[in-house]
Amino acid sequence: MIRRRKSNPTSIIQAALLCFWMCLLLIGMPAGASAHAELERAVPEANAKYEQNPKAVELSFNEAIEAKVGSIEVLDSKSRPVTNASAQASEDQQSLTLPLPTLGEGVYTVSYSVVSADGHPVSGSYVFIVGNPPEGVDAAAFDPHKELGHAGHSASTQLTTNQFIIYAVRIVYYGALLWAAGLMLWPLMTRGRGKVLPGIQQKWERMALQTLLVATLVYIFVHAREILKGYPSEEYSRLFLKTNIGREWIAMIVLILVGFLVLRFHAVLKTVWTLLILSAESWSGHAAVFSPKSASVMFDFVHLAAGAVWAGGLMLLFMLWRADRKEAGRFAVLFSRAALLSLALLIFSGIGLTLLFLPSLNYLFYTAWGTILLVKTGFVLLVLVVGGILHLRVRSGELPTGALLRADAALMALIIAAAALFTYVSPLPANEPVTYHKMGDTMHLSLRITPNKPGDNEVIVKAWLPDAVGMPKSVKLRLFSLDRPELGPIQVPIEPFEDTEITSFDGYVKAAYKTEGPLIPFAGKWQAEIRVMDKDDNEQVDKVEFRNY
């Protein structure tokens, strides 16, 4: 028989009291115990500019963090890490320090990701500047209207029907330049080789210079008219005397005229003239805009010189083949070697220019420049095939066939045409300001980012809430890199300002916020997140995607 134990009223009351006190303890625990770690201090500071290189990044938090999990990454203006070192935690586990290497002038991003003591992940990013970094380059950098102070014009990144004439003239000019420069280079490489060749060289050198002079004058005339369309004739003097492009045109004309005098002198002087005129063309093209300028100009000069050797040599071979087949065969041995070397240099310098011009190879698909470059690359591959066959025939002692020479000449013409276009069209797209506006029953919202390029920008956020709701309690803006989703958001420090624009809506009250500074550290796809909270702590979130180059 089992006896049931009687309940003790005293023990029941004690258990109830114990539960009650435990609840009170839980309710009365300090609020800070469940809070998450927050960044309290950052060195270098967000949006600050430093004349000298910071020695390290130091981030301090309001509570201890899991030091073995936390990380700091510093990126340059092309979103590349500047160091592979690991951040070290302080003794109290409340700060992280990452030593920095020597940083050049530029815009840098600090991205951090830590875990607070309660296991909550905390991440964020901010931007700082070292020195005076060069202004970001986009299509606007290639617009001559900017130097003249003309408004209402924009640099084109695509080919249009209205630009057909100027591009056609550019092709003729570029072809004449490579032809003339190549013919003036070859006399130094062919001294004492054959009896027919010197006569052909003398005849075609003068003709090439005459063609180049006419092509240059026509090109300058057409281009100047395009630039000054709709402006008074007095602007022509400013164009030629006060702008870089105008002075470069004058220098080219002077060099071409000097070339006629150089024809009477030794082959060494002709080579010096060729180097000068190709250098002038390199300094007047896209290469002079990109950094490092010395490397881009060097690659461009090598590209032009290699193209000139190939174009001039092929022209001489074709003329010799028509005049004297035996001498053409002997010259073909020299030309085939020089042509293969020229093609190798064309490919090498072309790759170098592409890597300097474009932040990534994806940019090849954004503009006409990339399309033309891809087409040109296809032509170069075909030339390698034709050149290889020509070289094999020459090595076996056979004369080059007319079909091979015509195929090589046709491909050369197509490559020159493509090069003339893609050396004139902007390699980078144009950045357009972000202008976003949304109408809604509970909120109107607008976002403006100008000029929307890596580096300094002006950001304006406006929010309209119904009169019954009143002014917002807070408006926050964060930027997320969609290309680098692992990076923490950039907090944009917008502040209220007095907006004088007439942008009122009946029944709504407006709040306007603004900031300026290095807010976008690198090019790419971005998402702006705008969080608007009213006085009752009701929050509305809007997200806007945009990109820059």
Side-chain angles (χ1 to χ4, degrees):
M1 180 176 181
I2 300 174
R3 294 183 178 180
R4 179 173 295 181
R5 185 177 180 182
K6 294 183 179 181
S7 301
N8 188 342
T10 303
S11 61
I12 295 175
I13 293 172
Q14 290 176 344
L17 287 173
L18 180 61
C19 291
F20 176 73
W21 282 110
M22 289 181 64
C23 290
L24 286 179
L25 286 172
L26 290 173
I27 294 173
M29 286 181 69
S34 61
H36 304 313
E38 293 182 357
L39 182 65
E40 283 191 332
R41 177 175 172 269
V43 178
E45 297 178 0
N47 304 312
K49 183 176 181 180
Y50 296 85
E51 295 301 325
Q52 295 182 346
N53 179 73
K55 300 299 182 183
V57 171
E58 184 178 349
L59 305 181
S60 300
F61 298 87
N62 64 335
E63 66 176 47
I65 59 174
E66 296 289 346
K68 294 183 179 180
V69 181
S71 66
I72 304 175
E73 191 172 24
V74 180
L75 310 177
D76 63 13
S77 59
K78 292 187 177 180
S79 74
R80 300 173 301 195
V82 301
T83 178
N84 293 322
S86 299
Q88 301 298 317
S90 60
E91 291 185 5
D92 61 4
Q93 305 293 300
Q94 287 190 226
S95 64
L96 290 173
T97 302
L98 176 68
L100 291 176
T102 301
L103 302 178
E105 294 185 325
V107 179
Y108 295 90
T109 307
V110 176
S111 179
Y112 60 90
S113 178
V114 300
V115 175
S116 59
D118 64 352
H120 185 79
V122 179
S123 63
S125 299
Y126 68 87
V127 181
F128 71 92
I129 292 179
V130 175
N132 297 297
E135 186 179 357
V137 177
D138 66 354
F142 311 98
D143 188 5
H145 297 100
K146 186 176 180 181
E147 282 192 84
L148 289 167
H150 294 167
H153 293 272
S154 60
S156 172
T157 63
Q158 304 294 332
L159 297 176
T160 64
T161 304
N162 293 334
Q163 295 166 328
F164 176 77
I165 294 177
I166 193 170
Y167 289 128
V169 172
R170 171 74 180 180
I171 291 172
V172 175
Y173 160 76
Y174 201 77
L177 173 66
L178 294 183
W179 182 32
L183 289 177
M184 297 285 269
L185 277 174
W186 272 98
L188 189 63
M189 296 185 287
T190 57
R191 291 172 58 189
R193 291 176 177 267
K195 299 179 180 179
V196 180
L197 183 58
I200 292 176
Q201 287 175 329
Q202 292 175 5
K203 174 184 175 181
W204 287 98
E205 284 170 358
R206 180 169 295 276
M207 188 175 295
L209 280 178
Q210 292 171 345
T211 304
L212 177 59
L213 178 60
V214 173
T216 303
L217 292 174
V218 172
Y219 168 69
I220 293 173
F221 172 76
V222 173
H223 196 187
R225 285 196 62 185
E226 177 70 17
I227 293 173
L228 298 179
K229 185 184 296 183
Y231 290 92
S233 57
E234 298 83 50
E235 290 287 273
Y236 279 93
S237 61
R238 289 186 59 218
L239 174 63
F240 284 96
L241 300 177
K242 301 294 184 181
T243 67
N244 291 330
I245 191 171
R247 290 189 287 263
E248 288 158 1
W249 286 343
I250 293 175
M252 287 296 292
I253 293 174
V254 170
L255 281 172
I256 294 170
L257 294 175
V258 170
F260 286 99
L261 300 176
V262 171
L263 290 177
R264 304 178 181 180
F265 295 94
H266 195 271
V268 173
L269 198 56
K270 293 180 181 179
T271 302
V272 172
W273 176 88
T274 302
L275 299 180
L276 288 175
I277 201 165
L278 293 181
S279 298
E281 177 63 26
S282 294
W283 279 100
S284 65
H286 294 337
V289 177
F290 289 90
S291 297
K293 184 180 293 187
S294 57
S296 59
V297 170
M298 180 198 70
F299 278 129
D300 192 66
F301 174 80
V302 171
H303 205 70
L304 287 172
V309 169
W310 178 42
L314 184 59
M315 179 62 67
L316 289 175
L317 177 59
F318 190 77
M319 295 303 168
L320 266 177
W321 186 80
R322 296 181 61 184
D324 189 320
R325 298 292 175 90
K326 289 184 178 180
E327 192 165 329
R330 291 190 291 270
F331 178 76
V333 176
L334 177 62
F335 169 74
S336 64
R337 295 171 183 167
L340 289 177
L341 178 60
S342 296
L343 285 173
L345 290 175
L346 279 170
I347 295 170
F348 168 75
S349 57
I351 293 173
L353 286 171
T354 301
L355 295 178
L356 284 175
F357 288 176
L358 304 184
S360 74
L361 295 181
N362 291 334
Y363 280 61
L364 290 172
F365 306 102
Y366 296 155
T367 63
W369 188 91
T371 302
I372 296 169
L373 179 58
L374 292 174
V375 171
K376 180 191 171 190
T377 302
F379 290 150
V380 170
L381 293 177
L382 291 175
V383 166
L384 285 174
V385 174
V386 174
I389 297 173
L390 182 63
H391 185 69
L392 291 175
R393 286 186 62 87
V394 170
R395 286 190 62 183
S396 62
E398 300 179 47
L399 289 174
T401 64
L404 276 177
L405 291 179
R406 284 190 290 270
D408 209 10
L411 288 170
M412 179 189 70
L414 290 172
I415 290 175
I416 289 176
L421 293 178
F422 98 95
T423 55
Y424 188 73
V425 178
S426 167
L428 294 176
N431 284 317
E432 299 292 339
V434 177
T435 53
Y436 171 79
H437 189 77
K438 179 182 178 181
M439 304 288 287
D441 295 334
T442 58
M443 179 179 67
H444 303 333
L445 187 67
S446 75
L447 170 66
R448 186 186 307 162
I449 303 177
T450 308
N452 182 29
K453 62 195 290 186
D456 288 335
N457 284 271
E458 178 187 77
V459 175
I460 295 177
V461 178
K462 300 178 187 179
W464 293 261
L465 295 180
D467 288 337
V469 176
M471 292 290 287
K473 180 180 179 180
S474 68
V475 176
K476 297 181 179 179
L477 174 64
R478 301 195 299 176
L479 297 179
F480 294 83
S481 171
L482 299 181
D483 297 322
R484 301 290 300 271
E486 73 277 9
L487 301 182
I490 297 174
Q491 304 287 344
V492 180
I494 53 177
E495 298 291 340
F497 81 106
E498 185 178 352
D499 182 25
T500 58
E501 293 183 355
I502 304 175
T503 51
S504 301
F505 296 97
D506 291 338
Y508 288 82
V509 61
K510 178 179 70 175
Y513 300 81
K514 181 180 180 180
T515 190
E516 295 182 41
L519 307 171
I520 304 178
F522 49 84
K525 295 180 181 178
W526 293 88
Q527 182 186 79
E529 180 187 81
I530 309 166
R531 310 184 77 92
V532 180
M533 182 178 292
D534 63 22
K535 60 185 179 182
D536 297 324
D537 290 342
N538 299 312
E539 188 175 60
Q540 299 185 65
V541 181
D542 246 55
K543 297 180 180 180
V544 183
E545 291 188 8
F546 64 94
R547 78 161 303 143
N548 48 41
Y549 303 96

